[in-house]
Amino acid sequence: MRGPRHLPRLVLVLGSCVTLAMTAFTPAVAQPGHDTRRVKAASLAEIRRSVVPEGGIKAAMSGGNTVDAVVREPRPRADGYRHIDTPSLVAKLRREGLNTYVYGIWDAPTDWDDLRTEFAPVAAAAGIRIWVYVVPPSECFDDPVPSRSGRCSRPYKLDFVTWAREIAKLSVRYPNVVAWAIDDFLIGQNGQLFTPEYMHKIVDAQDAVNPKLGFYTTAYYSDAISPAFYERFAPFIDGIVYPYLGFTSNTQDPAAVRPNLDAILAQAKPRDMGVLFLLYTNRFLDAALPPDENYVAASIQAALPYARDGRILGINNYGLPLGDKPNITAGNRAAHGIGRLSVALPSFIGTRPGDYAGAEQRVRVDTAAAGKSLSFVDYDGNYGNLGGAGYHFKQLLVDGAVAWESDVTDPGGFGWVRHTVDLTEALRGKESATITLRILDRNGVGDFPLDVGFDDVTGEGLTVVNGGFENDRGWRLVSDNRALLPSLDHYVQDRPARIREAVATTLRGLPFVNRPYPPEPPTRGYRTDDSAMYGHGRLGFTVPERTATRAGACASASQVVGVDRSSARYEISFWDRDQYARTPAAQGHLVKRALVDGQVVYEHDVADWWAGLWMNGESGQGPIDVTEFARGKDEVTLAFQLCTTSPAADLAVDVGVDNVETIGLAVRNPGFEWNGDWTLRSDDPGVTPAIRVARR
C-alpha cells in the first residue's frame, strides 16, 4: 500500500505541488471492435446489501509494510510455517467492535488456505464479514529460487481470473466472504495489465459463480476524483478503496477527510460507485511520521458521519496493530525525554520558495540580565556529503527577524547538534518577544523529504516554557502551506494499544480522550542513541563521516547456529535500516547482506528505497526461505555484512539490523540485547561492526 519511488531525490519545481501525486493515469485504448460496456449480473444495491452491515463497515486490515498488524501463531506448524492465529485474531476483532476484516493475502504462502479452512468459518460464526485483498504486479516478488522469492498473493499470484473464480466459490461456501479487492491498482505499470478485455474476463469468471460478490480496486486521490478512471472501470467494479493521506501524502493531518471525500463522492456517487475509506493506523512509507492515536481518532470522527448516512461504505483501519508488541524503540526521535518539535516533509511532495513551518512562543525577557541567549539542539538527518544545499533552512526568529539560520546540509546532520545564539541586541529594551523555530524553503523542491527535530530549548535572560516539548504547553504551531508539517511529536511505548483504543472508541461514536503520556527515565547521551527496533540493542555497521572505504572490504557479524533436522523448512527474518533512500550519489558503494554458510540470501544497496525506516527485507522480501542451505545439516553459519562494492571517500552510514526470527534455526541473542554470541570482524578499519546496546 504505497507508491514506488519514481522521482529523483531533489527536483526543482515551478509553483505548488502539495496534493497527493501518484503515478499519472493514462487510459488504455480498447482493441478495435471491442465493446467495453458491461451489464452487471447483480445490481449495485444488491451487492451493497451483502457487503455493508448496518451502520457501515467497521474494518481492520492486515498486510503491507506495516509493523505488528498480522496475528500469527507463535510457533510453526508441521509444514514449517507460522499460520494465522484465527482464534486470537477473531477475538481481537470482536474486542475492538469491528464487523469486517480485510484479509490481505501477501505475507505467507499459507494465507489463502488459512482463510479457506480456518478463518472464514470461525469469522462467520462470530458475525464478521470478510473482504479478500490481493496484490498487483508491483507487489508480487516471485522467483523460482526460494531464497530469492518474496511476498506475493499465492497460490494464484497474478492470475486474477482464477482469483475471481476461487474467491467467488469461497463466498458461496461462506456468505460472510462478501467482497474482494486489488491493491495499488494503477500504481506504476500495473494499469497495463488491467485492460477492458482482461477486466471482462475477471468479472465474468466471478459472476458465473456469485454475481453478488463485491469487486473493488484501490484508487488513490488523483484517480478517485478522475472521470477518466470511472469511465474506464465503472463497468467492471462496484466501487473503490480510497487510502486517505491528507492533502500531502501524510499521516498527520486529518483536515482533508471531509473535502477529499466530498470531491471523490462528486465523481463516485453519480455512477453509483461505493467508496470504502481506508485510514492508515500504521505507517505509510512515504510519510515522514507514522500516525498517532489523536490523528486516528480525529480522522475517524470526520469520516464516521459519511458511513452512518450511507454516503460511503464504511471505514477500513489499515494495518491496525492487533499484535502484542510495543511501539518501535527508534520511534522516539526526541533528544531527551519523549517530545520534540518536528517539521516534516513527505516524499514526493513539492514546496514553493518562501514556504515555512515551525512553532513560536511569546517569552518573558529579564531586562536586568546583561546578556541574553537561546540554546537548543537540532537533528535534520542530512550530512551534506550528497549535495542538496540551498533549499531547506533551519531558522530562529525573534519578533519575525532572523537571528540564526543554517542549511539542513550543514555538518552533523546525523546527530543532535547544540546551538547557542546571542540575542542580547535582538532583545534590547524588550520585556517580551516572540521566538520562532522553523524550516524555511528558500527554493522549492519536488522530492527532498525531511524530518527536522528541535529540542532542549533553554534561555539565558529569557524564560522559555516547555523547552523540551514534553507536552503541548507554551508553543503555537505556525505554517503558511500544506506541504511542510509542524507538530509536537510525542513518543509513548504503548502507542499500538492507544491506537486500538482510539479506533474502538470513535467507531462507537464516543469521544476519544487520550491518557497522559508517562515520562521516560533519564538517559545518558541523546535519546536517539537508543535506535533499536525493539528493546535497547541492535547490530550496527558504521562508516564515519569523511572516511574512505576500500572496494571488496566487508564488516560482518556471524554466528554458528544449530539446525533442527526435524523442521519441514528453514527461514530467517530480520529488519534493517539506514539513512539513505534511492539517491544516485549514494548508490553503488555499500551493500547490506545476509549469508547462510557463505551463500548470499539477501543483498541490498544502502541507497535502497526507504530511508530511516526499519524494513523487513526492503518492501517485498519479507522472511527468507533458506531450506536449500540448511537441510540435512546440524549447524550453519548465519552472517550479516556491510560490504564496499565501490570505493567512497565520504559516505557516512549507520546500518542497523535487529529482531532476527527464524524457523528451524537456533539463533542466540537474536535481538542484540547484550554484547555476546556474535563474532564481529572487519577487513577495513573504515567499516566497523558492533552490537550497540544503549546506555540507560
Side-chain angles (χ1 to χ4, degrees):
M1 184 63 66
R2 52 87 180 163
R5 202 173 267 284
H6 56 273
L7 298 176
R9 292 289 294 168
L10 183 61
V11 182
L12 283 175
V13 294
L14 297 176
S16 174
C17 179
V18 296
T19 57
L20 177 63
M22 305 306 293
T23 304
F25 170 71
T26 304
V29 179
Q31 294 180 1
H34 188 92
D35 186 359
T36 61
R37 292 173 298 173
R38 174 178 176 268
V39 178
K40 294 178 181 293
S43 71
L44 286 171
E46 290 178 291
I47 294 169
R48 200 163 298 169
R49 281 195 295 270
S50 170
V51 169
V52 183
E54 184 178 352
I57 293 171
K58 301 175 182 178
M61 181 177 176
S62 63
N65 285 287
T66 52
V67 180
D68 201 31
V70 182
V71 180
R72 294 195 180 275
E73 295 169 343
R75 289 178 294 277
R77 296 187 188 178
D79 60 2
Y81 287 97
R82 294 175 61 232
H83 289 248
I84 296 294
D85 189 341
T86 290
S88 177
L89 177 54
V90 170
K92 291 172 185 287
L93 295 173
R94 296 191 66 181
R95 181 190 67 198
E96 307 304 336
L98 302 170
N99 57 30
T100 303
Y101 189 63
V102 182
Y103 189 106
I105 298 179
W106 192 54
D107 288 289
T110 54
D111 288 346
W112 172 243
D113 281 342
D114 285 350
L115 170 63
R116 291 189 312 112
T117 63
E118 299 176 19
F119 186 78
V122 175
I128 295 173
R129 286 171 165 84
I130 298 171
W131 286 41
V132 182
Y133 228 75
V134 295
V135 303
S138 64
E139 296 175 88
C140 182
F141 302 89
D142 192 51
D143 193 286
V145 178
S147 61
R148 294 205 297 260
S149 200
R151 295 182 172 105
C152 187
S153 295
R154 294 181 172 90
Y156 308 117
K157 302 176 186 176
L158 301 179
D159 182 353
F160 294 98
V161 173
T162 300
W163 274 120
R165 182 184 304 112
E166 295 304 314
I167 295 170
K169 289 179 181 177
L170 184 64
S171 72
V172 172
R173 184 178 180 188
Y174 298 109
N176 63 316
V177 177
V178 296
W180 70 293
I182 301 174
D183 190 27
D184 281 6
F185 190 57
L186 295 181
I187 293 298
Q189 304 304 309
N190 293 338
Q192 295 180 6
L193 174 63
F194 299 110
T195 63
E197 294 79 13
Y198 193 47
M199 296 297 290
H200 259 285
K201 292 178 181 179
I202 292 171
V203 294
D204 286 348
Q206 168 188 308
D207 287 354
V209 180
N210 182 5
K212 294 184 180 180
L213 178 68
F215 176 37
Y216 300 82
T217 66
T218 298
Y220 290 91
Y221 184 72
S222 58
D223 288 326
I225 62 170
S226 166
F229 172 86
Y230 296 99
E231 289 167 10
R232 179 180 176 187
F233 294 110
F236 310 107
I237 63 176
D238 302 308
I240 64 169
V241 179
Y242 160 57
Y244 173 70
L245 290 166
F247 291 110
T248 56
S249 195
N250 71 81
T251 52
Q252 295 175 248
D253 182 9
V257 170
R258 292 187 181 93
N260 284 12
L261 281 178
D262 289 341
I264 292 168
L265 290 170
Q267 297 297 328
K269 187 175 180 180
R271 299 170 172 88
D272 204 19
M273 292 279 99
V275 176
L276 180 63
F277 179 81
L278 184 151
L279 176 65
Y280 285 85
T281 59
N282 212 310
R283 65 185 188 177
F284 172 67
L285 298 185
D286 282 334
L289 270 67
D292 67 16
E293 59 276 14
N294 295 314
Y295 163 83
V296 168
S299 299
I300 292 176
Q301 287 166 348
L304 196 58
Y306 291 79
R308 284 181 164 172
D309 64 16
R311 282 176 287 173
I312 63 174
L313 303 177
I315 299 170
N316 177 19
N317 297 282
Y318 174 76
L320 187 65
L322 292 170
D324 298 316
K325 291 185 177 178
N327 199 1
I328 291 177
T329 303
N332 188 341
R333 305 181 191 182
H336 297 99
I338 62 167
R340 63 172 182 137
L341 168 63
S342 165
V343 180
L345 177 67
S347 298
F348 311 128
I349 297 300
T351 64
R352 299 166 297 187
D355 283 353
Y356 69 83
E360 65 182 21
Q361 179 177 147
R362 192 73 180 171
V363 299
R364 289 187 293 109
V365 179
D366 181 359
T367 56
K372 303 171 184 66
S373 64
L374 191 78
S375 178
F376 60 92
V377 296
D378 70 47
Y379 182 104
D380 55 51
N382 287 276
Y383 164 47
N385 55 328
L386 303 182
Y391 297 91
H392 302 304
F393 285 82
K394 302 169 287 188
Q395 292 185 328
L396 166 66
L397 283 70
V398 176
D399 286 339
V402 176
W404 168 91
E405 74 171 19
S406 187
D407 197 296
V408 297
T409 61
D410 56 10
F414 292 150
W416 288 98
V417 177
R418 178 161 294 281
H419 308 277
T420 300
V421 182
D422 189 333
L423 301 180
T424 304
E425 290 302 316
L427 295 174
R428 188 174 300 281
K430 297 181 178 182
E431 295 181 350
S432 65
T434 298
I435 59 170
T436 306
L437 290 166
R438 73 178 191 179
I439 295 295
L440 171 75
D441 270 21
R442 188 148 287 141
N443 290 292
V445 301
D447 182 29
F448 193 166
L450 281 180
D451 179 16
V452 176
F454 297 95
D455 205 352
D456 294 358
V457 183
T458 58
E460 180 182 347
L462 61 152
T463 302
V464 178
V465 176
N466 189 24
F469 303 99
E470 296 298 284
N471 50 59
D472 294 330
R473 294 188 303 112
W475 298 93
R476 186 176 76 89
L477 300 177
V478 294
S479 177
D480 70 343
N481 64 97
R482 290 173 171 166
L484 293 164
L485 299 164
S487 66
L488 300 187
D489 177 35
H490 295 119
Y491 174 87
V492 63
Q493 191 176 43
D494 67 343
R495 173 140 292 140
R498 290 171 185 259
I499 288 175
R500 294 193 298 270
E501 182 181 345
V503 168
T505 302
T506 52
L507 284 179
R508 291 183 175 98
L510 302 174
F512 172 69
V513 179
N514 205 0
R515 302 184 305 279
Y517 295 153
E520 283 220 337
T523 57
R524 290 186 287 176
Y526 287 116
R527 180 60 188 73
T528 45
D529 295 340
D530 193 355
S531 56
M533 182 175 183
Y534 295 122
H536 302 289
R538 66 175 175 93
L539 175 63
F541 295 103
T542 305
V543 178
E545 299 171 358
R546 293 177 289 278
T547 299
T549 54
R550 176 172 54 83
C554 290
S556 67
S558 63
Q559 180 182 140
V560 177
V561 303
V563 177
D564 178 2
R565 281 180 170 266
S566 67
S567 182
R569 56 185 294 276
Y570 301 92
E571 176 183 288
I572 62 169
S573 174
F574 61 92
W575 297 67
D576 70 59
R577 73 189 286 256
D578 55 63
Q579 295 103 315
Y580 298 108
R582 189 171 288 274
T583 306
Q587 287 177 331
H589 297 288
L590 295 167
V591 295
K592 304 169 286 188
R593 289 176 179 154
L595 303 90
V596 176
D597 273 354
Q599 301 295 312
V600 176
V601 298
Y602 172 84
E603 179 172 293
H604 275 274
D605 197 293
V606 296
D608 49 15
W609 284 117
W610 311 107
L613 290 174
W614 282 105
M615 297 293 296
N616 186 206
E618 192 37 28
S619 55
Q621 175 69 68
I624 303 169
D625 189 318
V626 296
T627 304
E628 60 187 303
F629 308 112
R631 187 175 301 285
K633 299 178 180 179
D634 292 319
E635 60 184 27
V636 295
T637 299
L638 172 64
F640 296 101
Q641 291 183 340
L642 179 65
C643 298
T644 304
T645 54
S646 176
D650 187 8
L651 187 61
V653 70
D654 180 10
V655 173
V657 177
D658 202 0
N659 198 35
V660 180
E661 297 180 309
T662 62
I663 292 176
L665 305 174
V667 176
R668 303 176 306 283
N669 192 15
F672 304 98
E673 291 299 302
W674 59 86
N675 284 288
D677 295 311
W678 296 88
T679 300
L680 307 178
R681 293 191 178 91
S682 178
D683 48 19
D684 184 343
V687 187
T688 305
I691 294 178
R692 303 187 181 280
V693 181
R695 297 179 299 170
R696 302 294 294 170

